[in-house]
Amino acid sequence: MIELKNVHKSFGRKKVLDGISFTANKGEITCLVGVNGVGKTTILNAIMNLTPIKKGEITIDGEKMSPAMYNKVAFIPDVAIMLPQMTVHEAMDFMKDYYSSWNCKRAKEIVRFFRLNMPDKISELSKGNQAKVNLLMGLALDVDYVLMDEPFSGIDIFTREQITEVFSSRLVEDRGVLITTHEIYDIEHLLDKVVLLDNGVIYKEFNAEEMRETEGKSVVDVMREVYNQ
Amino acid sequence: MNKYVKLTSLFLLIALTFIGFSIYKAQASSPYSQMKVVTTEGKPEYIEPVDFFGYVSHSQNFSNSSTIEFDEGSFTYLQEKPFLKRMDHSFDPKLNNLVDNYRTFMRGKSRRPEQYTETDQHLIYAGSKTDVDWNSPFNNQMTISVLDKASDEEEAYSVTIGSDNAYNDIYATYIDYPTLTIFVNRSGVSDTSRNLVYTFDIENPTEALTEVVDLSGYLDKNETLSVSQLSDKTERYIPLKTVRQTVVSDYDFRTETSGYFAYDMQAQEVIEIPPFEEETLLFSDNDTIYVGKPLNESIELYEMNPDDKEMTLLGTLEMATPIMGQEDSSFYSDRFNQSVTILDGKLYTYGQEYVDEVSRPIFQITDVHTQETLFKGTVMPKDMTEAGYTTIEVMEYRLDPSRN
Amino acid sequence: MKKSLHTLLKLTNFEMERLSKFLFTLMGLTLLLNLVGYIYTPMQHMGKINEYITQNSATTQQALDAFGRFSFYDVTQTLWIAGPIAIGVSGLLLYSIFIWYREWFGKNTFAYRLLMLPVSRMSLFFSKFITIFIGIFTLIATQMLSLFIGHPIVSAIIESAYFNDIGLIASIQMNPLFLYLFPLDFSYFLMVNGVGIVVLLVLFTVILMERSYSFKGIAMGILYGIAALSLVLFPFFIPNLLNNQYILYDSELMIIEIVLIVAVGVLSIFTSHHLINKKITV
């Protein structure tokens, strides 16, 4: 379980996170929803110790983040993070070199699934394929949790479909997935838990399925309620 | 392993090149030439009081040039001394010995040997505030420190010098225990400069130095005072010269000696010395004033009676070469008798001798009473094959009276 | 321990691969410009001598009197040698800044990947640090090798009558530039490199401050740099503060200086450790 307790974070005088607390469980897909600039990416960065928090505590299965934990939690940011001069193959070798959790077999599967060409240089790939490489680097790790930041942003429709397929595939089963997005339509039906963020605080935290069953509202309906107010 | 090929090769490149360079360097530079004292006349033990710094250079291999020290009869290259010791090194042999022997006492005190005097029991320092504090050039503060060598105890006296602030240049001190005689050149703010002699009684210290003689009266407008380099600074008479500077051109001036004097520390008065027509040498040793007349390859030495200025010829001292005793006074114009001096009845001289393309020092020690040459000799590389291209030049030379 | 050393080696190798193109360019430039100097400078000198002899129908001795003997030292003093050294030094200094900032401002944000590697973040720090030093020593080694090649070239071009063969090592020792670079005097070499190491540690710390606190970090970095410099220079002001130039012996001043330089180095490592582990932001 990824647990955030009373997390505060400011950029200069601007409060970005003002006492955020929530959990993301293993085996579930948790989605952080909110308009741009509400601090979704900051939460993921903070979990991965890529940005310091001012106050609060973040634990993963009860432990604080440490270098060894990067074999347990993978993060797929919304920007390309492998060196552009590397080929897909070299990028995979690099990962294999440093991560004990790197699963070569699964990596090859993902390459096939995304129809990536291993000798291609990352810099020469299309934006969609670069996003796939990013996914490859995160999903080929045998980790308990995967964090994804805006996996659909700026991506063509075909790629988007392929990525959506990932969420219902073996690639994420049993893992805890924490995803941020403001484009909810494609994956709405797959979500277990939704955390709605607004102005640095959690506005609402609910189970998507329960919401549909008890109140007959989709995630988008709830979002509309919140942001139209 | 293939993955590490660049890192490995760069590492090997660095390691092999540096090792190779070091080996090449070690082979290319032969060790410093071992030096020896060559005695051509007399006995080698007489050279023991001589303490000098010299520069050894090789016309065939410049990288082997270095500063050498001759102390207590043996040679040491400066480069061979430990790094930290080299840092504290000063080019004055006397000062080096003082720092070596009395490190605590020497802390915070000026590094000019002229400001230290020694007796068997005491080491005495006299320095103005300016000597150690370069931010306050004009003041009248002075410190006199006395170290009891036996107990290692230091007694420091803060005294004033004159009533007004001035730049006080202490250029000579002498001791006739307990009376310390201090030669000071006082330059006021208004640029007037006076040469004054002060005394201080160590056993009965006062708060101010006592002015005993104003030497300014002996000096004309274009004249400066030069004091004799003495070895133990306990002599009764201090030889002095007045030096006249004549401007030759915008960039050059000529100096000539215009008068010879001796300051009597006991009587606290100045005695005028009648000079010879050509050149005059003036020495003092213990309670005696010696006057010398340099001839071509000899010195005619007289003892002068300070009362009636009567000269008694002691004899003619044969010199190894004409240059002996003809000192080059251009180095420090406020001092003389740098390469020729009398200590305890012996005349010590040194000069540079040029043989082919190299230069070597020659030393001569003569008994002033018997005119016997006690020592004559030079310094040469032990390995005679190096002699043809090894130049040794004396830079700083002192006599250590304690080893006499 | 063994594992972390292996990680450091891997990361250093990785950084070295990234530096290699730039480093090989600098090495090539050094060798090329040196070579031009080894050939052009003596040929120019011989040209002058020959012209003098022809124009004045002079003898060898007369030409020697006019121009003096040419030695390898004359070549080492030219810009053909000093130039590439200056380029190398400034190149690697700029690279010390670039080695960090490219991870954030490169085409892709590789900082994410590096900071998410399951390795101690200080090994990232040290791998970059070691890489810069390997770069420095590679260029020094290149310069050394180049001089070994240059000496016979120069002596072959200059006719023996006009050549003053003072030896390679003597030519090197006479040039103060090499005193800083080559192990000519062990204590001096140790000191120059010690200072170099600490300067690089301070620079890395300043960069990490900026990467952790952005604009505020720039101010902190500048202050840190000034504080480190002031601390290291402080001993030189002790005599002035105590109004006594001789209150400390030079050797004591040196020991204080060494202690302070080491202290600044250690402090920088600890500060960097804290920043890279707790404060850095992608």
Side-chain angles (χ1 to χ4, degrees):
Chain A
M1 182 174 70
I2 297 175
E3 188 174 16
L4 280 80
K5 279 188 209 159
N6 193 26
V7 173
H8 290 254
K9 167 86 186 173
S10 311
F11 287 123
R13 284 189 192 157
K14 195 189 164 204
K15 274 187 185 168
V16 184
L17 306 177
D18 194 8
I20 298 277
S21 302
F22 72 87
T23 56
N25 297 319
K26 209 176 162 190
E28 285 183 3
I29 300 179
T30 305
C31 186
L32 289 170
V33 188
V35 289
N36 279 338
V38 290
K40 296 180 306 251
T41 304
T42 307
I43 290 175
L44 299 189
N45 282 341
I47 294 170
M48 297 308 284
N49 190 23
L50 296 173
T51 195
I53 55 170
K54 200 172 155 192
K55 214 173 117 182
E57 196 185 34
I58 301 170
T59 54
I60 295 148
D61 291 341
E63 278 180 65
K64 284 197 170 180
M65 197 61 186
S66 67
M69 298 286 267
Y70 292 118
N71 269 318
K72 208 172 165 182
V73 193
F75 178 35
I76 303 161
D78 69 335
V79 289
I81 62 165
M82 293 308 283
L83 288 179
Q85 64 266 33
M86 281 180 170
T87 62
V88 176
H89 193 272
E90 282 168 347
M92 286 162 72
D93 278 350
F94 179 86
M95 294 298 283
K96 188 183 152 197
D97 228 5
Y98 291 97
Y99 290 88
S100 59
S101 58
W102 182 257
N103 186 328
C104 289
K105 210 175 133 204
R106 189 188 301 186
K108 279 177 195 156
E109 258 176 60
I110 299 170
V111 168
R112 270 198 301 275
F113 177 77
F114 282 141
R115 286 180 220 112
L116 287 167
N117 193 14
M118 297 229 280
D120 283 352
K121 262 194 177 180
I122 291 175
S123 59
E124 289 160 4
L125 296 177
S126 67
K127 197 150 186 243
N129 278 348
Q130 290 206 0
K132 287 179 193 168
V133 171
N134 251 12
L135 281 168
L136 162 66
M137 297 304 142
L139 294 175
L141 291 166
D142 274 335
V143 289
D144 294 340
Y145 300 95
V146 180
L147 277 52
M148 293 186 210
D149 192 16
E150 301 284 357
F152 306 108
S153 71
I155 280 170
D156 62 272
I157 181 114
F158 301 110
T159 310
R160 189 181 292 219
E161 275 174 9
Q162 271 190 320
I163 293 175
T164 311
E165 255 183 74
V166 167
F167 286 94
S168 51
S169 74
R170 232 167 21 84
L171 293 170
V172 297
E173 70 186 4
D174 298 336
R175 304 190 188 186
V177 177
L178 181 59
I179 179 170
T180 73
T181 185
H182 55 274
E183 294 170 59
I184 204 87
Y185 291 105
D186 297 307
I187 53 161
E188 191 188 345
H189 59 286
L190 300 168
L191 302 180
D192 295 301
K193 190 176 183 180
V194 177
V195 180
L196 261 176
L197 287 169
D198 191 29
N199 278 331
V201 293
I202 292 176
Y203 183 81
K204 197 166 190 157
E205 192 180 345
F206 58 93
N207 186 297
E209 214 177 316
E210 271 176 28
M211 181 65 77
R212 252 191 310 273
E213 284 174 8
T214 57
E215 296 187 33
K217 289 177 188 166
S218 69
V219 179
V220 181
D221 293 334
V222 181
M223 278 178 76
R224 214 168 268 138
E225 272 176 29
V226 173
Y227 295 113
N228 283 345
Q229 275 174 3
Chain B
M1 200 58 209
N2 198 24
K3 212 170 73 173
Y4 294 104
V5 67
K6 274 182 204 159
L7 184 65
T8 316
S9 24
L10 287 179
F11 186 78
L12 283 177
L13 171 82
I14 294 167
L16 293 178
T17 312
F18 272 72
I19 292 169
F21 181 81
S22 303
I23 294 171
Y24 184 83
K25 183 179 155 258
Q27 282 179 342
S29 44
S30 50
Y32 292 121
S33 309
Q34 293 295 304
M35 292 294 161
K36 63 173 180 187
V37 174
V38 178
T39 312
T40 47
E41 202 179 325
K43 288 180 187 154
E45 60 259 33
Y46 284 105
I47 203 176
E48 265 178 33
V50 171
D51 193 348
F52 74 85
F53 276 104
Y55 191 71
V56 178
S57 53
H58 296 236
S59 56
Q60 292 198 340
N61 187 355
F62 292 111
S63 61
N64 249 15
S65 306
S66 176
T67 300
I68 197 166
E69 184 182 7
F70 178 74
D71 189 11
E72 296 186 40
S74 64
F75 293 95
T76 323
Y77 278 99
L78 188 57
Q79 295 296 325
E80 288 169 345
K81 287 191 176 184
F83 183 64
L84 287 176
K85 195 145 174 81
R86 239 191 292 165
M87 296 213 68
D88 291 343
H89 173 265
S90 102
F91 279 95
D92 187 278
K94 177 178 175 178
L95 209 56
N96 258 346
N97 288 339
L98 289 176
V99 169
D100 279 349
N101 299 331
Y102 311 104
R103 199 173 165 89
T104 312
F105 179 78
M106 295 298 285
R107 183 183 300 283
K109 295 184 174 69
S110 152
R111 291 286 179 270
R112 290 174 63 193
E114 297 84 20
Q115 295 177 328
Y116 295 89
T117 51
E118 245 181 304
T119 64
D120 289 342
Q121 290 90 40
H122 299 100
L123 173 61
I124 302 126
Y125 164 76
S128 72
K129 189 169 188 285
T130 315
D131 287 323
V132 294
D133 180 6
W134 300 346
N135 296 323
S136 66
F138 292 97
N139 62 71
N140 66 344
Q141 301 298 308
M142 206 178 142
T143 302
I144 290 167
S145 295
V146 182
L147 177 76
D148 185 322
K149 290 179 180 174
S151 67
D152 224 12
E153 267 171 43
E154 181 181 343
E155 191 90 52
Y157 309 96
S158 284
V159 293
T160 56
I161 175 166
S163 54
D164 52 340
N165 286 349
Y167 177 76
N168 296 303
D169 177 22
I170 298 164
Y171 59 89
T173 57
Y174 305 93
I175 185 74
D176 179 11
Y177 200 85
T179 307
L180 181 67
T181 300
I182 306 164
F183 280 58
V184 184
N185 182 284
R186 273 174 74 77
S187 315
V189 186
S190 57
D191 215 13
T192 51
S193 147
R194 291 164 73 205
N195 280 288
L196 301 164
V197 181
Y198 292 89
T199 56
F200 180 77
D201 187 338
I202 293 167
E203 296 289 331
N204 297 297
T206 47
E207 281 180 8
L209 288 185
T210 316
E211 182 184 324
V212 284
V213 175
D214 185 350
L215 295 170
S216 310
Y218 296 89
L219 295 165
D220 278 346
K221 202 175 153 218
N222 292 326
E223 286 177 341
T224 57
L225 197 71
S226 183
V227 294
S228 169
Q229 184 92 8
L230 293 176
S231 300
D232 58 7
K233 302 207 255 184
T234 55
E235 286 86 352
R236 176 175 171 180
Y237 300 101
I238 301 154
L240 304 169
K241 283 202 300 196
T242 51
V243 179
R244 185 179 298 135
Q245 291 190 346
T246 322
V247 176
V248 180
S249 73
D250 283 353
Y251 307 102
D252 201 12
F253 58 81
R254 197 158 36 97
T255 56
E256 55 186 339
T257 307
S258 46
Y260 293 87
F261 306 91
Y263 176 75
D264 182 345
M265 277 214 283
Q266 279 173 19
Q268 297 183 340
E269 60 181 28
V270 179
I271 306 159
E272 231 171 299
I273 312 282
F276 293 113
E277 248 174 60
E278 295 286 313
E279 263 187 87
T280 307
L281 297 171
L282 178 61
F283 311 102
S284 99
D285 181 29
N286 299 325
D287 290 342
T288 315
I289 297 174
Y290 294 96
V291 183
K293 184 177 178 185
L295 301 170
N296 191 21
E297 286 192 26
S298 60
I299 295 171
E300 236 176 55
L301 197 67
Y302 297 85
E303 190 179 317
M304 196 192 93
N305 183 335
D307 299 325
D308 57 6
K309 297 181 186 173
E310 189 74 33
M311 303 264 204
T312 315
L313 179 67
L314 293 172
T316 304
L317 282 60
E318 293 303 322
M319 292 288 108
T321 70
I323 47 151
M324 304 295 266
Q326 312 278 316
E327 80 168 331
D328 175 15
S329 61
S330 62
F331 209 53
Y332 297 109
S333 65
D334 59 345
R335 286 180 236 164
F336 67 101
N337 285 353
Q338 287 162 73
S339 58
V340 49
T341 184
I342 295 177
L343 176 64
D344 294 337
K346 294 184 210 82
L347 180 87
Y348 290 82
T349 54
Y350 82 85
Q352 286 291 133
E353 185 184 35
Y354 293 87
V355 186
D356 297 328
E357 283 190 4
V358 300
S359 160
R360 270 195 293 269
I362 39 171
F363 299 93
Q364 183 173 345
I365 302 159
T366 316
D367 189 304
V368 295
H369 298 288
T370 62
Q371 291 91 49
E372 181 197 351
T373 301
L374 303 172
F375 175 86
K376 196 191 285 177
T378 184
V379 172
M380 276 169 118
K382 274 186 186 166
D383 181 353
M384 284 307 283
T385 55
E386 293 172 1
Y389 57 85
T390 307
T391 281
I392 305 133
E393 266 175 298
V394 172
M395 296 190 297
E396 288 288 341
Y397 167 98
R398 295 276 182 280
L399 294 179
D400 187 340
S402 66
R403 289 202 295 264
N404 197 17
Chain C
M1 185 67 192
K2 205 179 154 193
K3 199 176 161 231
S4 56
L5 273 179
H6 184 64
T7 309
L8 182 62
L9 179 69
K10 274 198 294 191
L11 284 168
T12 308
N13 184 55
F14 180 66
E15 287 291 345
M16 223 37 246
E17 287 286 336
R18 297 169 81 189
L19 168 69
S20 57
K21 263 189 204 157
F22 181 60
L23 187 62
F24 292 153
T25 311
L26 287 178
M27 285 167 81
L29 199 70
T30 303
L31 288 172
L32 186 77
L33 290 178
N34 284 354
L35 198 66
V36 174
Y38 299 144
I39 297 168
Y40 175 72
T41 319
M43 279 181 76
Q44 194 193 28
H45 185 80
M46 279 315 293
K48 269 197 274 184
I49 288 177
N50 289 333
E51 196 185 295
Y52 178 82
I53 290 176
T54 346
Q55 278 183 358
N56 304 297
S57 348
T59 61
T60 307
Q61 190 55 46
Q62 283 168 325
L64 269 177
D65 291 342
F67 295 102
R69 278 178 199 275
F70 191 85
S71 75
F72 188 58
Y73 171 67
D74 294 312
V75 181
T76 66
Q77 267 195 314
T78 61
L79 213 58
W80 296 110
I81 305 291
I85 292 174
I87 294 170
V89 168
S90 39
L92 283 177
L93 196 67
L94 287 177
Y95 194 85
S96 309
I97 300 168
F98 175 73
I99 202 170
W100 286 102
Y101 282 102
R102 65 173 173 198
E103 316 296 16
W104 278 265
F105 301 112
K107 203 172 167 213
N108 294 349
T109 316
F110 194 56
Y112 275 103
R113 182 84 284 149
L114 283 181
L115 292 175
M116 288 196 298
L117 287 179
V119 301
S120 145
R121 285 189 183 171
M122 276 315 267
S123 51
L124 299 176
F125 180 93
F126 286 121
S127 67
K128 289 180 186 297
F129 185 82
I130 295 167
T131 302
I132 298 290
F133 263 83
I134 292 177
I136 292 171
F137 281 108
T138 304
L139 287 186
I140 294 176
T142 309
Q143 185 60 70
M144 273 181 191
L145 284 176
S146 152
L147 290 168
F148 277 93
I149 300 164
H151 188 248
I153 297 178
V154 173
S155 56
I157 295 174
I158 297 282
E159 282 172 30
S160 57
Y162 303 105
F163 190 58
N164 177 19
D165 193 0
I166 53 172
L168 179 58
I169 290 292
S171 309
I172 291 171
Q173 276 173 330
M174 280 158 74
N175 192 333
L177 199 57
F178 296 132
L179 191 63
Y180 289 100
L181 302 175
F182 294 176
L184 290 169
D185 178 324
F186 186 66
S187 320
Y188 206 78
F189 185 70
L190 216 62
M191 247 166 48
V192 169
N193 280 290
V195 170
I197 285 171
V198 174
V199 166
L200 197 61
L201 285 175
V202 170
L203 178 67
F204 275 17
T205 309
V206 171
I207 292 170
L208 289 179
M209 280 181 177
E210 191 281 327
R211 287 291 79 205
S212 298
Y213 300 102
S214 69
F215 285 116
K216 213 168 82 187
I218 298 177
M220 283 169 77
I222 293 170
L223 282 179
Y224 183 76
I226 293 172
L229 193 68
S230 316
L231 191 66
V232 166
L233 293 181
F234 172 71
F236 297 110
F237 294 101
I238 296 176
N240 258 320
L241 290 173
L242 298 176
N243 293 328
N244 193 323
Q245 292 299 321
Y246 304 101
I247 201 76
L248 291 172
Y249 286 101
D250 287 350
S251 60
E252 294 165 345
L253 213 56
M254 181 54 117
I255 291 169
I256 296 174
E257 199 53 50
I258 290 169
V259 169
L260 287 178
I261 288 176
V262 170
V264 168
V266 171
L267 183 70
S268 298
I269 290 176
F270 277 109
T271 312
S272 296
H273 180 271
H274 175 72
L275 292 171
I276 205 169
N277 281 310
K278 300 260 159 67
K279 298 292 173 194
I280 204 156
T281 304
V282 285

